Amino acid sequence: FPVTIHTGCSVEEEYSVRNQSQLTVSILRVDPVSCGGGNDGRIVLAVAGGKGLVKVKWEDGFTGLERTNLKSGTYKVQVSDESNCGISKEVKVEEANPLQARIENAIEMDCDLGQLKGRAWVAISGGKAPYVIKWENGNQTSNEIQFNQSGILKVTVKDALGCQTEVEAK
């Protein structure tokens, strides 16, 4: 860029401005939250090419490269080095497909005998198979039961990750 002195003389020099830092931030690992509403998510970052001391600061004040015990959500981090080079990153911790269960049933009434004959089964979605099913009446591992009186049916379903849900139906 040219420099002009008040006497009318000018000098032109070429200067090269370059960044002294090659700072990069990589996401090494993001583990989702295993159960709905849980807090076992994890983020691991790697930093390379920074000049001098590198600072890592998350939006919530945390200052490390590895985060554990996280709920699902988006986490923002700012990484900078001594040359004032800075990088912002957002990392999303997702939630595994939540375990859900629903009780369905079919009821027949034998009016002549005054007997109720019912059959209930649990429909399961999400989570991770295999599932452990426990009905309130003590029947385990079967996703279908028979019943002969009205009332509330309850079932607990636990998946291979240890996630659990309990549902009931009348």
Side-chain angles (χ1 to χ4, degrees):
F1 55 89
V3 175
T4 305
I5 302 174
H6 290 292
T7 61
C9 296
S10 68
V11 176
E12 191 169 312
E13 281 289 325
E14 194 172 300
Y15 294 93
S16 174
V17 178
R18 59 187 175 116
N19 190 352
Q20 296 177 348
S21 175
Q22 301 294 321
L23 183 64
T24 61
V25 176
S26 303
I27 300 170
L28 295 182
R29 182 175 184 160
V30 178
D31 293 342
V33 174
S34 60
C35 298
N39 65 340
D40 62 347
R42 180 177 173 201
I43 299 171
V44 181
L45 301 179
V47 176
K51 182 175 182 201
L53 181 65
V54 175
K55 295 179 184 174
V56 178
K57 187 166 184 181
W58 294 84
E59 191 174 53
D60 62 1
F62 187 81
T63 58
L65 290 172
E66 182 172 353
R67 302 287 313 257
T68 57
N69 301 322
L70 299 174
K71 293 184 177 212
S72 63
T74 301
Y75 294 83
K76 297 176 185 174
V77 65
Q78 176 71 35
V79 179
S80 59
D81 65 10
E82 287 181 3
S83 72
N84 289 324
C85 181
I87 297 174
S88 295
K89 234 184 210 335
E90 287 188 0
V91 184
K92 186 171 185 173
V93 175
E94 304 217 351
E95 191 168 274
N97 194 6
L99 176 64
Q100 297 178 335
R102 183 179 72 251
I103 296 175
E104 299 179 11
N105 61 52
I107 300 171
E108 294 179 21
M109 183 68 177
D110 185 333
C111 294
D112 293 335
L113 298 174
Q115 290 182 336
L116 175 77
K117 290 183 180 179
R119 176 173 71 88
W121 59 95
V122 62
I124 304 168
S125 64
K128 183 175 181 182
Y131 304 106
V132 175
I133 300 166
K134 183 176 181 184
W135 292 91
E136 186 179 63
N137 70 359
N139 187 349
Q140 292 185 341
T141 68
S142 173
N143 72 335
E144 185 175 312
I145 61 167
Q146 305 287 325
F147 60 93
N148 58 9
Q149 62 185 24
S150 63
I152 296 175
L153 298 169
K154 288 184 183 179
V155 67
T156 302
V157 178
K158 189 174 187 178
D159 73 0
L161 297 172
C163 303
Q164 183 172 306
T165 186
E166 183 178 288
V167 293
E168 63 180 55
K170 290 183 181 188

